[in-house]
């Protein structure tokens, strides 16, 4: 989680840290890894939020 938080802060400043409460509720390690990869490769917070919604939607379908 710390890696995601640091990456959000570096890439998107304080605005990126606003996603931490939502991300901290995720317990699935694979999902967290995918979000971390997204933080490092996506250009905007809006794109990251869409990725998170898609990943969460996909994960909910699996369960």
């Amino acid at each position: 989680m710390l890696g995601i938080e640091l990456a959000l802060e570096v890439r998107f400043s304080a605005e990126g840290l606003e996603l931490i409460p939502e991300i901290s509720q995720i317990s699935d390690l694979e999902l967290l890894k995918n979000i971390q990869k997204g933080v490092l490769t996506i250009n905007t917070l809006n794109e990251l939020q869409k990725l998170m919604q898609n990943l969460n939607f996909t994960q909910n379908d699996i369960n």
Side-chain angles (χ1 to χ4, degrees):
M1 185 64 201
L2 183 61
I4 294 175
E5 187 172 343
L6 180 60
L8 281 169
E9 186 173 18
V10 169
R11 292 284 318 266
F12 303 111
S13 303
E15 191 177 3
L17 294 177
E18 293 176 9
L19 294 176
I20 292 299
E22 183 178 347
I23 294 171
S24 67
Q25 294 179 10
I26 299 170
S27 60
D28 183 280
L29 185 58
E30 199 61 36
L31 185 56
L32 289 169
K33 286 180 183 179
N34 286 327
I35 291 171
Q36 186 171 23
K37 288 177 190 174
V39 170
L40 298 174
T41 58
I42 286 178
N43 295 317
T44 68
L45 269 179
N46 190 34
E47 289 176 11
L48 180 59
Q49 288 171 322
K50 287 179 183 178
L51 172 71
M52 287 174 54
Q53 288 172 351
N54 289 338
L55 289 172
N56 195 24
F57 179 76
T58 302
Q59 188 64 30
N60 286 339
D61 284 348
I62 293 170
N63 294 332

